[in-house]
Amino acid sequence: MSTGTGRRFPDGFLWGSATASYQIEGAVKEGGRGPSSWDTFSHTPGKTLNGDTGDIAVDHYHRWQEDLGHIADLGLRAYRFSTAWPRVQPGGRGPANREGLDFYSRLVDGLLERGVKPVLTLYHWDLPQDLEDAGGWTARDTAYRFADYAELMARELGDRVDLWTTLNEPWCSAYLGYGSGVHAPGRADGAAALAAVHHLNLAHGLGLQAVRSVLPSARASVTLNLHVIRPADPSSDDDRDAARRVDALANRAFTGPMLSGTYPDDLLADTAHVTDWAFVRAGDAEIAHQPLDVLGVNYYSTGLVRRWDGVGPRSEDDGHGDAAGTPWVGADDVEFVRPDGPYTAMGWNIDPGGLTDLLLRMHREHPGLPMMITENGAAFADTVSPGGAVHDPLRVDYLARHLEATGQAIDQGADVRGYFAWSLLDNFEWSFGYDRRFGLIRVDYETLERTWKDSAHWYRDVVARNGLD
Ligand code: IFM
């Protein structure tokens, strides 16, 4: 097992861990919270493993002080969390719910009292159900409602928040929510998924404008789960073209407007048989293109694709589950090939080199834009030893290798300012329910007791020494 290389990180490197509201809070009917699309989806039979829901999750809504204690004991310099839109605006529009605002205000104060920087994500997938009923992200109006919500949050929390992040992984919101249907709201409609892509880009831009209308010097970011997609046969033109097409859908559909103010021509051409993109109005891509202080990068694994020859069943398994539809809208002749292992319990391949490649690519294509790894981590089948300890050497190894890969990108010039381990706690892993555990801290789902895994002890030492041993 490798635990490190003696590597040190730059001074001021921001060490943290991340969570998301629906995955940890529970208390879905308390404090004036309204229903979200994930409440509806998870309560729909057959949508999540074992029918699991976020009703209780890990009860962070009631145990937040205990959880802040763990954050402090880990020595984390920053905590990345998301605010639940339906806790703040139960129907997704209109005046704020004071109890919801108070919850996040107390959380932020609690972090600051412990010397931990709050890194806030405004949207990590829990859309107010009323907005979903009105079309969700396929409706342009949702982007404007998001901006209202962003402004409410900025007014409430002000400069107590160190970094404002608009969206987490809009790829998942759009393509898994409306394309494949494995995430809420569970629709399988390629044209709807592309409309969602655009309205999420627009929401990002409008949201940042709204935050900065209140807080002109707010530090701002967006978090993307950028995909590292490789051709199965690098010498094949067809396979390289398959990788280009998937890259356009997965990455450039977001980095184009958000970082360059334009949609890539090849994306529009590749998907012209699915939609005419008439939902993009003049000036929209420029709105999406707001100045950013940092780009949040979420990274877990890599993908391998090739041109499907039309013979035999086409594999679309990109590791995000099987469903009625596909997230790879319009890429009907592209096939996913299972990459070499080893794999995590998600079935995702472990490929730290992909992280180095990704950070260097972003550095090359968007020079001058600092990055932070806002999520990286692994689910494994943890077991509790008779004495109560959780020995998770595979997770330690995964984290160590990816930190080393980050260091290698920094050595080659990438401007990476921080790293957030996913996740602080075991939690509700979306359609996989409570079956997949990503936490540094184990949660017993019967008692809700928290227990540090070996990886938590290890990560505390990494943070303390600002590097690997
Ligand atoms: O749990 C999720 C998180 O909500 C978003 N990024 C990927 C994680 C692991 O699947």
Side-chain angles (χ1 to χ4, degrees), residues 44-130:
T44 306
K47 297 298 186 190
T48 64
L49 204 56
N50 305 316
D52 289 342
T53 72
D55 287 4
I56 298 172
V58 300
D59 198 30
H60 170 77
Y61 187 74
H62 298 113
R63 293 166 198 252
W64 62 275
Q65 282 167 303
E66 179 189 347
D67 293 339
L68 289 190
H70 290 297
I71 290 168
D73 291 346
L74 282 163
L76 301 184
R77 316 275 193 259
Y79 173 55
R80 174 177 180 256
F81 63 100
S82 76
T83 51
W85 187 349
R87 226 178 248 301
V88 173
Q89 286 180 300
R93 57 180 87 232
N97 166 38
R98 190 66 248 169
E99 269 191 272
L101 287 178
D102 285 347
F103 174 69
Y104 295 115
S105 190
R106 284 194 297 268
L107 183 72
V108 165
D109 284 345
L111 288 167
L112 293 173
E113 280 159 20
R114 291 164 177 81
V116 180
K117 291 185 168 161
V119 172
L120 183 152
T121 301
L122 287 162
Y123 183 71
H124 197 130
W125 311 350
D126 35 8
L127 189 71
Q129 183 61 41
D130 286 359

